[in-house]
Amino acid sequence: MHKTKTLTGLLRMLPVTMLLMVGVMAAKAQSIVIPIESKQNAMVLQVGPDKYLDMVYFGNKLPDKNEYNSIAKAYRLNGKTEGYNSAYTSSGNRNLLEPAISVTHADGNKSLDLKYVSHSVTKINDDISLVSITLKDSVYDFGVILNYQTYYNENVTEQWSVIEHHEKHDVVLNKYASANLYLQAGSYWLKHYHGDWAKEMRPEEEQLNHGIKTLDSKLGTRADLFQPPVFMVSLNKPAAEDNGEVLYGNLEWSGNYRIDLEVDPSNNLRLIAGINNYAADYVLKPGVEFTTPKFVYTLSANGKGEASRNLQSWARKYKIVDGEGPRLTLLNNWESTYFNFNENRLAGILKDTKTLGVDLFLLDDGWFGNKYPRNDDRQGLGDWQSNKDKLPDGVAFLTKAASDNGVKFGIWVEPEMVNPKSELYEKHPDWVVKQPQRPEYYMRNQLVLDLTNPKVQDFVFGIVDNLFTKNPALAYIKWDCNSVIYNAHSAYEKNQSNFYTDYVFGLYKVLARLRAKYPKVPMMLCSGGGGRVDYGALQYFTEYWPSDNTEPMERIFIQWEYSYFYPALASSNHVTDWGKEPIKFRTDVAMTGKLGFDIVVSKLKPDELAFCQQAVKTYKEYSEAIWHGNQYRLQDPQDNDVASIMYVDSSKNSAIMFNYLVNNRYATGSKLPIRLKGLQPDRMYTVSEVNLYPGNRSTIVNAVYSGQFLMTVGINPDVRESRTSVLIAVNGAK
Ligand code: DGJ
């Protein structure tokens, strides 16, 4: 029987007035309140007399910390079974709700009852602090440390758990979540995403009802092809851009994830986020720490825009590689040549790279394989020696030719994968993920290498390391990943159910090794389009590929949705020949991120080339605002004929506004001024149109306005059929 029951039994015998007093005294004497504060918010955890750790509040912080002690009794936190608001729900005890952790002990017993032991607060620096709370089971030698790392100025928290036991034999973790949150509101509105190849980040928003809504992935290598691991939950009503309470979350994990959102019998929201336990019971040896991935979240009381800026500035400062550094503009050859190229053709493209004015040439798929030349996607993957017919002088020739042209050189790899038709497969069939007794099944004619195997990890590390060692001038890597895991089975793993989880740990080990040796070299995280975008992988990358769909109208929508969660400098946006829109529209759309091109430059008409050259210059002029400034979404393409987004540099001196016509019905356009955001009200700004197509005159008269005017009245970009995309520069007047 639990202590609380005994205590309740005792209390029942006392008169009501005394009971209240005892209640207060008990709370005072025995409950421990742990507030975790950021600049705007407080999460309040509380240990009751029964030693259970509960989450009692997450919202605006209170000026008087003592008042956190009174929060628990203000809410209806528990129903019949109690433990609704457990900060880390364990299973097999009196708690009957969806668990965050569920285990099978060494003796086969399945009960776990975690209670508070101690906690510590570590101030890592002026911005970051870490609260660690130790929970233990009283019967089994099994414990969990819950970690809450808070980024004060960004209002962001990363939460994860460290699980360890000292039982006589292995324990099986049947579920092992990173975080378990509890929110109180009148209603909950979940915005989440679905998709497929070329249809990434399609949003859906719905009110959560009682029961559990699960977001998850079982694809193995890449979480977000069908269901990205990002979401937002609005409280009381769907949040708008600048008002409403909203929580954003992302599991920092590139493999199978599971996020459960449960409106409980008390109408509160239980949220449990972690690795998907689907086919993934994890066998844990005694004395070994299991560290879950981090779940990152931010809460804003002022709408989606602020929540995005929180997460974006956190990501630039702390997560994405070189998030506060510059990015390279580039010319890629994927869509202009596919697999069909040779040294001569590439030498021409290197010249075009210089002509265009971008920083780097990126050589895509098809440069390798000899016994099985990589001339299409059916063979050669895994054989990372340059193809002697296409590149008789190797990659070294290209790095040299690039530098002779005054540009940098980057290269495509897909190191986690193998075509069955390859020397690698012939040599190491046991390195491949497949069911030994079943037929192989392929996605894009390829299989996944078994990254749980340290030898495979060395091999994958070696692919990239060799490229850098042999070509020290190599300046950029595009890391692709085009297959999911079918027929999950590892010839290396002793416990097959550890495979899915160890695969991602293996991948991160390789990436961490690479980053230790090459800390800042730009690497694009690509995955047959946006199949792998999450903060787990992005800690090793400078940028990601949002979608193979580069049709600009589609991209406006796809990039818009990614922009809620990821900063613009990480979004690789390439101008291609997809779609019928003119080059200006395509380029203007690609400029709201990290600009690149994937077109045949030599086929551009003189005006088109002149436009692109000047667009690269305009982009560089405003890149400080786009890369490191604040982003403001002004008009959503889902609800308006004209989509509008702007970026303001941190000194509020320079800003750029992008406007696109997203409805081609007769006589649509920008009818009213669009209100700007993020400027200094009392400052004067010059407003002018930039990035005009050669020969076109702007209909916007250059003029000076106060920030107050621009944010109250706004500016009409005059978007219409003959001006489908309009860029407005806003610069502090001298
Ligand atoms: C898929 C990527 O998304 C493309 O950009 C390209 O790199 C191809 N793979 C190459 O095979």
Side-chain angles (χ1 to χ4, degrees):
M1 195 189 273
H2 286 289
K3 278 179 198 161
T4 38
K5 285 260 167 80
T6 324
L7 187 66
T8 317
L10 271 172
L11 296 178
R12 240 185 248 129
M13 290 149 52
L14 299 172
V16 177
T17 39
M18 251 183 102
L19 196 126
L20 278 174
M21 271 173 59
V22 174
V24 172
M25 276 161 53
K28 278 210 171 130
Q30 296 183 43
S31 74
I32 301 166
V33 174
I34 309 170
I36 301 172
E37 288 186 334
S38 66
K39 199 174 191 172
Q40 277 174 11
N41 301 320
M43 174 183 287
V44 180
L45 303 173
Q46 186 162 321
V47 184
D50 52 11
K51 295 283 178 215
Y52 287 117
L53 178 72
D54 294 327
M55 178 168 166
V56 298
Y57 178 74
F58 192 24
N60 274 339
K61 73 179 185 189
L62 302 175
D64 178 2
K65 278 193 189 185
N66 287 324
E67 289 203 315
Y68 291 134
N69 301 345
S70 309
I71 285 183
K73 61 177 187 286
Y75 287 109
R76 190 186 321 156
L77 292 174
N78 274 309
K80 286 249 169 346
T81 70
E82 296 197 38
Y84 288 8
N85 61 333
S86 168
Y88 200 64
T89 314
S90 46
S91 76
N93 52 53
R94 72 176 193 203
N95 197 330
L96 303 177
L97 292 156
E98 181 61 33
I101 184 165
S102 177
V103 306
T104 308
H105 293 287
D107 64 2
N109 188 290
K110 292 192 71 84
S111 86
L112 186 66
D113 201 17
L114 294 171
K115 293 196 177 188
Y116 170 89
V117 176
S118 62
H119 77 277
S120 64
V121 183
T122 315
K123 200 161 164 46
I124 294 171
N125 60 31
D126 279 351
D127 196 27
I128 311 175
S129 54
L130 174 66
V131 173
S132 299
I133 305 172
T134 303
L135 308 175
K136 284 225 158 105
D137 188 90
S138 54
V139 177
Y140 289 92
D141 196 347
F142 187 103
V144 177
I145 300 173
L146 303 182
N147 295 287
Y148 301 80
Q149 182 152 297
T150 301
Y151 301 81
Y152 187 88
N153 291 313
E154 293 74 22
N155 297 299
V156 166
T157 302
E158 286 187 295
Q159 192 180 332
W160 71 99
S161 318
V162 179
I163 304 168
E164 193 184 351
H165 72 89
H166 293 277
E167 299 189 19
K168 289 216 170 78
H169 307 287
D170 298 349
V171 166
V172 181
L173 308 180
N174 306 112
K175 193 173 182 196
Y176 35 103
S178 303
N180 187 168
L181 304 184
Y182 199 62
L183 304 168
Q184 298 93 23
S187 59
Y188 309 92
W189 300 82
L190 173 68
K191 183 171 176 187
H192 57 106
Y193 296 88
H194 68 104
D196 204 336
W197 180 80
K199 296 187 213 155
E200 290 83 355
M201 290 300 275
R202 304 235 162 149
E204 279 171 336
E205 186 159 41
E206 73 215 39
Q207 181 170 5
L208 290 169
N209 297 318
H210 292 91
I212 300 179
K213 166 88 186 178
T214 299
L215 308 176
D216 84 332
S217 169
K218 301 183 184 76
L219 302 180
T221 47
R222 46 205 254 190
D224 76 337
L225 183 65
F226 298 150
Q227 190 150 56
V230 284
F231 66 93
M232 54 179 91
V233 177
S234 301
L235 306 181
N236 301 311
K237 58 172 189 189
E241 193 60 26
D242 297 311
N243 61 69
E245 265 184 283
V246 62
L247 174 94
Y248 282 17
N250 172 221
L251 188 75
E252 299 180 27
W253 187 245
S254 311
N256 297 349
Y257 77 91
R258 171 172 167 182
I259 294 162
D260 289 318
L261 300 117
E262 177 178 15
V263 179
D264 74 8
S266 294
N267 303 323
N268 298 320
L269 182 69
R270 309 181 73 246
L271 192 159
I272 297 174
I275 291 175
N276 198 342
N277 56 340
Y278 158 78
D281 285 340
Y282 200 87
V283 181
L284 187 64
K285 291 192 181 319
V288 174
E289 280 185 354
F290 181 93
T291 303
T292 70
K294 292 169 176 160
F295 175 60
V296 60
Y297 49 91
T298 184
L299 179 72
S300 165
N302 303 306
K304 297 193 277 195
E306 185 182 84
S308 293
R309 289 185 289 280
N310 283 345
L311 213 49
Q312 290 166 354
S313 73
W314 165 79
R316 283 193 301 261
K317 220 163 159 186
Y318 298 111
K319 195 51 60 166
I320 292 176
V321 174
D322 205 15
E324 295 184 306
R327 291 295 183 268
L328 297 170
T329 53
L330 58 81
L331 177 64
N332 190 193
N333 71 313
W334 174 238
E335 297 198 9
S336 60
T337 67
Y338 292 106
F339 297 93
N340 183 17
F341 56 81
N342 57 26
E343 236 174 51
N344 274 346
R345 197 163 174 199
L346 296 180
I349 297 179
L350 275 163
K351 289 205 171 76
D352 292 343
T353 311
K354 184 66 185 170
T355 309
L356 193 57
V358 292
D359 304 314
L360 175 134
F361 168 62
L362 168 60
L363 173 61
D364 216 284
D365 196 354
W367 58 269
F368 50 88
N370 284 298
K371 182 172 174 191
Y372 300 104
R374 178 80 170 166
N375 292 329
D376 55 44
D377 62 19
R378 282 175 297 194
Q379 62 178 38
L381 196 58
D383 300 344
W384 297 102
Q385 305 78 33
S386 27
N387 178 277
K388 295 212 163 71
D389 292 330
K390 289 181 188 170
L391 301 179
D393 302 304
V395 172
F397 166 85
L398 295 169
T399 44
K400 166 132 192 347
S403 98
D404 290 348
N405 279 288
V407 294
K408 293 176 196 274
F409 177 73
I411 204 160
W412 177 97
V413 289
E414 191 177 6
E416 294 159 78
M417 307 276 161
V418 62
N419 281 132
K421 242 177 149 187
S422 66
E423 291 185 80
L424 179 67
Y425 188 92
E426 286 171 351
K427 223 164 131 195
H428 296 291
D430 57 322
W431 282 11
V432 174
V433 177
K434 58 178 182 170
Q435 286 288 348
Q437 294 163 322
R438 296 184 195 279
E440 291 176 3
Y441 188 72
Y442 311 121
M443 183 166 187
R444 208 192 189 208
N445 311 303
Q446 64 196 53
L447 290 165
V448 178
L449 291 176
D450 180 5
L451 273 172
T452 68
N453 183 340
K455 284 194 183 134
V456 178
Q457 293 170 14
D458 289 346
F459 171 78
V460 172
F461 171 81
I463 297 165
V464 180
D465 189 40
N466 282 340
L467 278 167
F468 281 123
T469 317
K470 291 193 186 139
N471 309 286
L474 185 64
Y476 187 95
I477 295 283
K478 176 176 176 183
W479 180 300
D480 212 341
C481 162
N482 285 297
S483 180
V484 301
I485 295 177
Y486 294 118
N487 290 318
H489 179 90
S490 155
Y492 173 80
E493 284 268 16
K494 239 172 58 207
N495 299 300
Q496 289 303 317
S497 63
N498 283 20
F499 168 72
Y500 277 128
T501 304
D502 283 348
Y503 179 87
V504 183
F505 284 143
L507 169 68
Y508 289 170
K509 257 190 205 159
V510 172
L511 290 167
R513 256 171 95 184
L514 283 171
R515 276 304 172 200
K517 197 159 172 193
Y518 309 102
K520 273 199 174 174
V521 64
M523 293 214 296
M524 184 212 289
L525 172 61
C526 178
S527 179
R532 192 192 249 173
V533 191
D534 63 82
Y535 279 119
L538 278 172
Q539 68 186 305
Y540 305 107
F541 291 85
T542 46
E543 54 225 63
Y544 67 89
W545 183 237
S547 177
D548 277 351
N549 188 342
T550 45
E551 200 284 323
M553 194 61 77
E554 290 288 328
R555 271 295 184 120
I556 290 172
F557 287 81
I558 294 173
Q559 290 167 196
W560 187 274
E561 297 301 330
Y562 274 117
S563 86
Y564 285 109
F565 306 95
Y566 302 103
L569 93 165
S571 176
S572 296
N573 301 343
H574 293 183
V575 178
T576 71
D577 286 330
W578 279 51
K580 296 194 179 82
E581 288 85 354
I583 190 99
K584 169 164 164 61
F585 191 88
R586 287 181 269 150
T587 310
D588 286 354
V589 171
M591 283 168 77
T592 59
K594 212 223 74 170
L595 178 66
F597 292 82
D598 195 347
I599 49 173
V600 185
V601 175
S602 54
K603 282 196 184 152
L604 292 174
K605 296 186 187 117
D607 275 358
E608 290 176 333
L609 177 62
F611 169 76
C612 291
Q613 289 167 325
Q614 168 258 295
V616 172
K617 286 189 190 133
T618 309
Y619 177 72
K620 289 191 174 170
E621 216 176 302
Y622 291 93
S623 60
E624 187 49 35
I626 299 168
W627 293 344
H628 309 123
N630 280 315
Q631 175 202 66
Y632 296 89
R633 284 178 293 263
L634 309 178
Q635 280 195 181
D636 190 333
Q638 307 271 2
D639 311 321
N640 298 280
D641 294 341
V642 174
S644 187
I645 193 163
M646 74 182 283
Y647 301 85
V648 184
D649 77 348
S650 55
S651 61
K652 301 188 179 194
N653 185 41
S654 166
I656 182 151
M657 177 199 195
F658 296 85
N659 307 279
Y660 313 111
L661 188 64
V662 290
N663 181 349
N664 66 3
R665 291 199 63 188
Y666 178 71
T668 47
S670 52
K671 304 273 187 298
L672 291 168
I674 297 172
R675 287 183 191 144
L676 274 53
K677 295 178 190 170
L679 301 172
Q680 209 171 295
D682 55 359
R683 182 142 187 207
M684 301 307 287
Y685 292 94
T686 307
V687 170
S688 58
E689 181 173 356
V690 292
N691 229 31
L692 284 157
Y693 196 75
N696 283 7
R697 292 241 316 269
S698 176
T699 55
I700 310 283
V701 181
N702 288 7
V704 176
Y705 303 93
S706 68
Q708 188 71 59
F709 179 92
L710 292 169
M711 293 191 291
T712 310
V713 178
I715 193 96
N716 188 335
D718 191 22
V719 172
R720 52 192 151 97
E721 219 178 314
S722 56
R723 291 165 49 82
T724 51
S725 66
V726 174
L727 269 54
I728 304 281
V730 181
N731 286 302
K734 303 254 152 61

